[in-house]
Amino acid sequence: MKNLFVKIAAAGVLMLAPAIAQAAEGYSTANVNMRAGPSTRYPAVAVIPAGSSVEIRGCLSDVNWCDVEFYGGRGWVSGQYVQALYQQRRVYVGPQYYRPLGIPMIRFSVDNYWDRYYRNRDFYRERDRWSRGPDYYYRDRDNRDRDRDRDNRDRDRNWRERDRDRDGRDRDRDWRDDNQRGDRQRDDLQRGDRQRGDRQGDDRRGDDRRPDRRYFDCRPGDPSCDE
């Protein structure tokens, strides 16, 4: 008898397993982003055109987001953009329709989901930050942006200070060069004046030393020699 109950229970589990694993067919009601997680803050991985068919693999119980498959890709779409056929009419996918439509309620984990579907995506490199939630990721990114902006401002200020110091040194060097040129010009002028003065003095001394012509021109008996 005990073995009979065990077999019946096992058979029941096997019968329920396909129902739990199956996906419900849905339709997008607008051009909507399929995202890497259940929030508009997660990266978009594809755009699902309005009216396209999607396979609903499961939905969250606490928020109206569903894991869907579209052309072999996987991602998350808000239930307010997905409809499913229920009792011959289309209804927006919501928690009240999960069980009637055979949609399992699932959980989301960045590590497991991204490892399975997004290893080749650029954002996968920042999986550790995303795993703490999109709010943390963007807060952390904002902090990094502020730090980078502050570093850039500090770098710009340092460059300006270096430029100002270099300009000051250049002005000082130009001022010294101008003074040195002025001193050289003044020395050259003074040296030129001294040289001209020396030449003029030499000329005057030469005139003083020049003998009177009459001592050379006068001859004995020349009346001009008597002057």
Side-chain angles (χ1 to χ4, degrees):
M1 182 65 68
K2 182 177 181 182
N3 292 333
L4 179 61
F5 283 117
V6 171
K7 291 179 181 179
I8 294 174
V13 170
L14 292 174
M15 291 178 62
L16 290 174
I20 294 175
Q22 74 179 11
E25 186 177 6
Y27 305 89
S28 63
T29 60
N31 296 334
V32 61
N33 284 319
M34 185 169 67
R35 297 187 175 273
S39 170
T40 56
R41 295 173 72 85
Y42 281 103
V45 296
V47 176
I48 303 176
S52 298
S53 176
V54 297
E55 294 293 326
I56 305 172
R57 295 294 180 179
C59 297
L60 301 179
S61 59
D62 52 346
V63 291
N64 190 18
W65 279 79
C66 296
D67 175 21
V68 303
E69 181 176 351
F70 176 69
Y71 276 96
R74 290 289 287 271
W76 291 80
V77 176
S78 172
Q80 64 181 337
Y81 295 106
V82 179
Q83 289 183 333
L85 190 62
Y86 175 68
Q87 295 181 352
Q88 305 304 316
R89 62 188 179 92
R90 288 188 178 184
V91 296
Y92 282 97
V93 175
Q96 69 273 27
Y97 295 111
Y98 292 169
R99 185 179 295 276
L101 292 172
I103 299 174
M105 286 186 291
I106 59 176
R107 296 179 181 272
F108 171 71
S109 168
V110 166
D111 293 334
N112 296 333
Y113 199 85
W114 286 24
D115 283 345
R116 190 177 305 167
Y117 303 115
Y118 301 136
R119 284 183 177 273
N120 61 338
R121 298 280 185 161
D122 291 339
F123 55 77
Y124 182 82
R125 293 194 298 266
E126 297 187 285
R127 181 188 56 172
D128 292 340
R129 288 194 177 93
W130 281 106
S131 64
R132 303 182 186 183
D135 292 337
Y136 176 86
Y137 172 81
Y138 280 100
R139 183 169 61 249
D140 183 54
R141 192 183 66 173
D142 292 342
N143 292 335
R144 283 180 285 156
D145 290 342
R146 282 194 293 271
D147 292 341
R148 185 169 59 250
D149 292 340
R150 183 168 58 250
D151 292 340
N152 290 336
R153 288 194 297 270
D154 292 341
R155 245 190 331 269
D156 292 341
R157 184 169 59 250
N158 292 336
W159 278 111
R160 288 195 297 270
E161 291 175 353
R162 281 196 290 271
D163 290 340
R164 186 166 57 248
D165 293 340
R166 185 170 60 248
D167 292 340
R169 290 193 297 270
D170 291 341
R171 281 195 298 272
D172 293 340
R173 185 171 59 251
D174 293 339
W175 181 81
R176 289 194 299 271
D177 292 342
D178 291 341
N179 287 340
Q180 291 174 356
R181 282 195 296 272
D183 293 340
R184 285 196 297 271
Q185 291 175 354
R186 186 167 56 253
D187 293 341
D188 292 341
L189 291 174
Q190 291 176 353
R191 188 163 49 250
D193 291 341
R194 285 196 300 271
Q195 290 175 352
R196 284 194 296 274
D198 294 340
R199 283 197 297 273
Q200 291 175 357
D202 292 341
D203 292 342
R204 284 195 296 272
R205 285 193 295 274
D207 292 342
D208 293 340
R209 290 192 300 270
R210 188 179 302 119
D212 195 340
R213 292 183 58 190
R214 64 183 179 179
Y215 293 110
F216 298 94
D217 296 340
C218 292
R219 291 181 176 80
D222 191 340
S224 61
C225 296
D226 297 334
E227 296 178 1

